Amino acid sequence: MNSMKNSSQQGFLACAIIGVMAFAGGGSAVAQVSQKTLDSIGIPDNVETSLGTLEFFDGVPTHATAQTLHDNLDRMRAVEVYLNNQGAASLNAMRKGNASIGADASNKVTITEQLLQPASLYLTGNTSTLYALTYLDLKTEGPLVVELPPGMLGFLDDAWFRFIDNLGVIGPDKGKGGKYLLLPPGYRGEEPDGYFIIKLPTYNNLMFLRGSIANGLEPAVENIKSKLRVYPLAKADNPPATEFINMSGKSYSTIVTRDLSFFEDLNALVQVEPIQAIGPELRGQLAAIGIVKGKPFQPDARMKRLLAEAATLGNATARAITYQPRIDGVFIYPDTNSAWTTAYANKNTSFEEDGAMGLDARPLFYFNATGVTPAMATSHAGAGSDYALAYLDADKNAFDGSKTYKLHLPPNVPVNNFWAVTLYDTQTRSLLQTSQTFPTVGSQSEGFQKNKDGSYDVYFGPQAPQGHESNWLETVPGKSWFTILRMYGPLKPWIDKTWRPGEIEQVK
């Protein structure tokens, strides 16, 4: 029986071989993969790349090549972490910066009693409105009560600087003020009546408030200091006092770092926040470089070197995205060679479109600005505000602080309230530090001159052009700069682009 079985198997095998030979044309017993196919799916023994020469033995990398490729993979992933978590890093840097001047608890509110000044490093902050900021720690303090004064304009952002809800004029209280109850992630306790209730997805959050100074700065400051209250719900019967820390003119930084500490701070945030605060993709990127919730972050010497390189590359890449953007919706006047851009590509504050995250749009905003609310990207004629940024001059070159430039604004600047032009430092993306207390000029500036035809000219340079001193913003030789044109209460000609600012041209 066994011999019969073996004979049958041998006969079947012989038939199979004959079939293969027939299929192959009878020329060979083994079909060969074409060289063209091998070339498309394989790799030569030596490959020249931007990483240097990569060496293989029939597709197997040498030990040195494998190490080079692993280093490159770790570095690439760390660069992605740097870019994709700019929002989280920025809010955390703001929290640490304000803690350095005493604002280290939820009920300690920083306020610009004499407006924001260049000594305080804030991403593209402005000198035209009153700020009040506090960093809410619901991990330590549990549910928080915010008693909001009337007339506020504000919002809440979470630990990754994502928009949560509006407050004040465009929020639930409609500008009348009222009590808000902010609940931490996973809260299952009582939700008492009498509050506007907002459920937050992270423990660390930013409350950003603006107060109108239309009737003067002092009454606006008093409105906030006398009526804004922040305290734990558990202490509602006897709330502790809310403290106010004047940050006007104080020298400190809230800017993200460009070194290993970027990743160390990000790890500290990940350890505090709920695991579901970010999705699997971002968690996977973090895990790939050693940042995992519940585990220590202990990069070895090799990884520290790669992380430091990645921070530099990430920072440099964010600057390329800023100065030479290549995505749609950034240039305000794309039909021309205009340099004017917007902070929110396509006016999109979620940075998502058609189910996909805008991987350039997100760092474009977070590297240069803070505070996310849809209200900042929604134009209603005569209300709100809109912004135009000029990072480059009319010839698409970086601005040179040793040279003089001019911005021409045609007659009838279309604003319901006022407009302002402010200068920023290209390194810090904060107010440019010069001899001017406020590096801003505009329709509210004392002595600002209008041309006979109703137009305006703004000058930028190391020295004021003779006869135009009141229309001049000082620059610093050896430094670059950029500017933001803010339109408060923009009217239809601005929104439909029938009125537009001139390009900033070098005049000397």
Side-chain angles (χ1 to χ4, degrees):
M1 292 290 292
N2 287 338
S3 61
M4 292 177 63
K5 182 177 180 181
N6 290 338
S7 297
S8 298
Q9 289 175 339
Q10 290 170 0
F12 175 80
L13 193 58
C15 290
I17 292 172
I18 292 169
V20 168
M21 292 176 63
F23 181 78
S28 173
V30 180
Q32 297 292 319
V33 177
S34 72
Q35 188 62 45
K36 181 178 180 181
T37 300
L38 283 174
D39 289 344
S40 68
I41 63 176
I43 195 166
D45 286 350
N46 292 279
V47 182
E48 296 299 326
T49 74
S50 61
L51 301 177
T53 302
L54 302 181
E55 298 180 343
F56 301 84
F57 170 64
D58 198 25
V60 180
T62 66
H63 291 301
T65 290
Q67 185 63 58
T68 296
L69 292 171
H70 282 307
D71 284 356
N72 184 58
L73 183 60
D74 289 340
R75 188 188 300 108
M76 286 194 306
R77 285 172 170 163
V79 169
E80 289 295 328
V81 166
Y82 189 92
L83 293 172
N84 293 339
N85 291 273
Q86 274 293 304
S90 186
L91 191 140
N92 198 44
M94 291 173 68
R95 181 190 61 77
K96 288 178 63 178
N98 280 276
S100 74
I101 61 169
D104 55 3
S106 301
N107 69 330
K108 295 182 179 181
V109 180
T110 55
I111 184 170
T112 55
E113 294 190 29
Q114 291 82 39
L115 301 178
L116 188 65
Q117 297 175 23
S120 305
L121 299 185
Y122 269 86
L123 292 177
T124 53
N126 78 71
T127 66
S128 303
T129 56
L130 170 64
Y131 289 140
L133 310 173
T134 187
Y135 300 87
L136 306 169
D137 181 1
L138 282 76
K139 182 78 168 182
T140 302
E141 303 179 65
L144 289 171
V145 176
V146 174
E147 295 184 12
L148 195 72
M152 291 291 98
L153 186 67
F155 53 86
L156 293 165
D157 286 344
D158 77 359
W160 266 260
F161 239 135
R162 297 169 296 204
F163 172 72
I164 300 302
D165 211 338
N166 285 313
L167 307 172
V169 175
I170 54 176
D173 66 283
K174 307 299 182 186
K176 298 177 182 178
K179 288 185 178 182
Y180 285 79
L181 178 58
L182 311 181
L183 301 178
Y187 178 76
R188 292 182 176 83
E190 182 184 0
E191 296 183 14
D193 295 332
Y195 295 93
F196 299 110
I197 294 178
I198 299 177
K199 298 180 179 181
L200 297 164
T202 58
Y203 293 109
N204 291 277
N205 305 275
L206 168 69
M207 183 171 71
F208 183 104
L209 299 175
R210 285 180 174 178
S212 172
I213 59 174
N215 297 319
L217 181 57
E218 288 187 14
V221 170
E222 179 59 24
N223 181 50
I224 292 176
K225 294 181 70 173
S226 64
K227 297 174 184 175
L228 178 63
R229 296 290 177 265
V230 182
Y231 52 86
L233 177 64
K235 299 180 180 179
D237 292 338
N238 185 26
T242 298
E243 299 180 36
F244 294 91
I245 298 168
N246 182 15
M247 65 183 185
S248 295
K250 289 195 174 181
S251 179
Y252 70 106
S253 175
T254 67
I255 310 301
V256 171
T257 58
R258 183 187 54 80
D259 53 27
L260 179 63
S261 66
F262 175 95
F263 300 99
E264 293 171 336
D265 288 350
L266 189 56
N267 173 68
L269 182 67
V270 167
Q271 300 308 323
V272 170
E273 295 300 339
I275 193 169
Q276 64 271 23
I278 54 176
E281 189 73 20
L282 277 183
R283 287 203 301 271
Q285 287 183 359
L286 291 167
I289 63 168
I291 297 177
V292 179
K293 184 172 175 63
K295 295 183 179 180
F297 178 53
Q298 297 175 328
D300 58 17
R302 165 190 164 273
M303 198 64 189
K304 286 180 179 179
R305 172 179 59 81
L306 293 173
L307 292 173
E309 289 178 6
T312 294
L313 289 171
N315 186 284
T317 302
R319 293 175 185 274
I321 290 170
T322 296
Y323 286 89
Q324 284 88 24
R326 60 180 186 176
I327 57 174
D328 293 336
V330 177
F331 289 99
I332 298 175
Y333 310 104
D335 56 320
T336 66
N337 198 36
S338 173
W340 290 106
T341 65
T342 179
Y344 290 112
N346 294 306
K347 298 277 188 174
N348 185 340
T349 57
S350 72
F351 315 110
E352 295 182 35
E353 189 171 1
D354 297 328
M357 175 58 68
L359 296 181
D360 281 6
R362 184 169 52 187
L364 172 72
F365 178 82
Y366 284 126
F367 187 72
N368 299 290
T370 57
V372 177
T373 169
M376 294 178 68
T378 303
S379 297
H380 299 288
S385 56
D386 206 355
Y387 315 97
L389 298 87
Y391 289 107
L392 303 174
D393 67 15
D395 297 319
K396 296 293 185 73
N397 295 317
F399 293 111
D400 184 338
S402 66
K403 299 175 181 177
T404 301
Y405 300 81
K406 183 175 76 170
L407 165 63
H408 181 73
L409 300 177
N412 304 313
V413 179
V415 290
N416 190 38
N417 299 322
F418 67 97
W419 60 268
V421 175
T422 304
L423 276 193
Y424 296 93
D425 185 316
T426 51
Q427 291 285 13
T428 66
R429 291 90 71 205
S430 301
L431 294 171
L432 187 65
Q433 297 184 2
T434 66
S435 65
Q436 294 176 321
T437 304
F438 300 108
T440 301
V441 295
S443 57
Q444 288 189 326
S445 300
E446 185 175 349
F448 196 82
Q449 297 175 345
K450 181 188 292 189
N451 298 325
K452 290 181 179 180
D453 64 354
S455 65
Y456 298 91
D457 291 318
V458 178
Y459 293 87
F460 313 86
Q463 295 180 332
Q466 189 172 359
H468 300 287
E469 290 81 2
S470 60
N471 291 39
W472 165 70
L473 286 170
E474 184 179 1
T475 61
V476 181
K479 283 195 64 59
S480 189
W481 53 270
F482 67 93
T483 190
I484 299 180
L485 168 63
R486 288 181 168 86
M487 307 286 280
Y488 292 94
L491 299 174
K492 189 173 181 295
W494 168 264
I495 296 169
D496 65 18
K497 302 179 185 178
T498 55
W499 182 98
R500 58 186 284 182
E503 300 300 303
I504 302 178
E505 299 180 331
Q506 183 180 332
V507 295
K508 186 171 70 173

